[in-house]
Amino acid sequence: MPSTFIDPKALLVAGVHFGHKVSRWNPKMAPYIFARRNLIHIIDVRETVKGLIKACHFLEKLAAKGELILFVGTKRQACTVIRNEAKRCGMPYVAERWLGGTLTNYATIRERLGRLKTIEEWEKDGTINRYGKKEQASIAREKRKLIRNLDGIRTLDRIPATLMIIDPCHESIAVAEADKVGAATVALIDSDGDPDTIDVPIPGNDDSMKVIQIVVAKLADAVLEGRARAPHVVAPEPVAQQSVSVGGRERGGRGRGERLFGFGGPRGPGGGGGGRGRGPGGPRPAPAAPAAPPQ
């Protein structure tokens, strides 16, 4: 089991008890409020410790079963902490921007990751040099955008069992998508949040970088302890990639059902319409085969 020792003094020094102004509070957070001082709500640190211990046990059990835990924190105070701690415990993360449909349109996200892998393979084997300078610049811009938005979820080969969220008010789209796909949520939630939307709430100041560092580090330690005693899990087969035109822009359909809950399965004939493909100017080396690199 993960270590349950949590120093309340360290949390107090970090400012975990400072909530928002009284005018901004959510009445559903009343059980977690200790008092009101100078028009600011003071969060009960005992409730913070209880929630953190419960979250540690919960994540440790999931990690021991080989489940994926997606760390989410895109606010300025949380992005660096989320990125570092998720990498330390070997879990996927979203630290720049939550793309709408990351979970509910999972198949399209896997296609974009396949596109990123294809571009990196072109750079590795020199295929990229067969394109003109303008097309190479367009591909480089596309790669930078893909890395910025998707680099943290490269290892997200299936729908995660749990989302670990910093400030569910700021990450409301992630909370809604987790609810739609049936993923549990663990969140550091301030006095303006709605604890009813979170499975394991951790009441505390979600605007303090020090508090976020302490909480996320403790949860990452729990994940590491769970993974240390997890049975060997066979890696899933790679998802088939869909080649696209150079610099093109493809858009997935809106069909749900089996394609949504099939975790990245192939699209059916009625899976939605494609978008327009708009490539950069200049001659293409192989116009007859837009879906593959030129020979």
Side-chain angles (χ1 to χ4, degrees):
M1 300 297 291
S3 174
T4 57
F5 175 75
I6 298 172
D7 188 4
K9 185 176 179 180
L11 291 172
L12 284 171
V13 171
V16 72
H17 56 294
F18 291 119
H20 285 289
K21 290 184 179 180
V22 174
S23 59
R24 293 181 55 188
W25 86 308
N26 189 323
K28 294 181 181 180
M29 288 292 294
Y32 306 105
I33 302 298
F34 176 74
R36 185 175 68 178
R37 297 288 185 274
N38 298 326
L39 299 181
I40 295 178
H41 274 130
I42 303 300
I43 297 174
D44 192 343
V45 180
R46 293 174 297 181
E47 296 295 332
T48 303
V49 173
K50 290 179 183 178
L52 186 53
I53 292 175
K54 184 178 179 180
C56 287
H57 285 286
F58 179 63
L59 296 185
E60 188 268 343
K61 290 179 180 179
L62 288 177
K65 296 178 182 179
E67 299 286 357
L68 287 180
I69 300 166
L70 179 60
F71 286 65
V72 182
T74 60
K75 17 188 337 184
R76 178 175 54 85
Q77 302 94 319
C79 58
T80 302
V81 177
I82 287 291
R83 183 183 297 107
N84 294 338
E85 294 299 328
K87 287 181 178 179
R88 182 169 69 89
C89 65
M91 289 295 174
Y93 63 90
V94 175
E96 290 293 334
R97 175 194 171 198
W98 179 271
L99 296 178
T102 298
L103 300 182
T104 56
N105 198 10
Y106 178 76
T108 300
I109 297 298
R110 293 305 307 177
E111 290 176 7
R112 301 310 299 154
L113 286 169
R115 171 64 174 172
L116 175 60
K117 185 177 180 180
T118 299
I119 294 175
E120 291 177 340
E121 289 177 353
W122 288 356
E123 293 178 342
K124 185 176 180 180
D125 60 20
T127 303
I128 191 71
N129 298 325
R130 300 181 184 179
Y131 293 101
K133 291 183 178 179
K134 187 173 182 180
E135 290 181 328
Q136 289 188 31
S138 176
I139 295 173
R141 286 193 299 270
E142 181 184 3
K143 179 187 175 184
R144 286 195 297 270
K145 184 176 180 181
L146 290 172
I147 290 178
R148 182 175 65 250
N149 293 328
L150 303 177
D151 188 52
I153 57 175
R154 286 177 183 254
T155 58
L156 191 67
D157 50 26
R158 60 189 184 276
I159 297 295
T162 301
L163 272 68
M164 203 296 297
I165 301 173
I166 300 297
D167 191 355
C169 292
H170 189 270
E171 311 295 347
S172 58
I173 299 177
V175 174
E177 290 193 22
D179 181 64
K180 287 183 180 180
V181 302
T185 50
V186 175
L188 177 63
I189 182 171
D190 213 323
S191 60
D192 62 340
D194 183 0
D196 291 347
T197 61
I198 304 300
D199 295 292
V200 185
I202 306 173
N205 182 3
D206 58 16
D207 294 317
S208 170
M209 185 177 295
K210 292 182 179 179
V211 173
I212 295 173
Q213 175 66 56
I214 294 174
V215 172
V216 178
K218 189 67 179 179
L219 297 176
D221 290 340
V223 173
L224 285 172
E225 292 186 22
R227 296 191 66 183
R229 61 187 189 87
H232 176 69
V233 179
V234 179
E237 296 181 359
V239 180
Q241 300 177 12
Q242 178 181 359
S243 300
V244 295
S245 57
V246 177
R249 177 189 176 195
E250 64 282 359
R251 302 178 66 176
R254 298 179 184 271
R256 296 191 179 183
E258 292 183 0
R259 188 164 66 83
L260 172 61
F261 297 101
F263 303 154
R267 295 187 177 188
R276 55 181 178 175
R278 186 174 58 184
R284 295 184 182 278
Q295 302 298 327

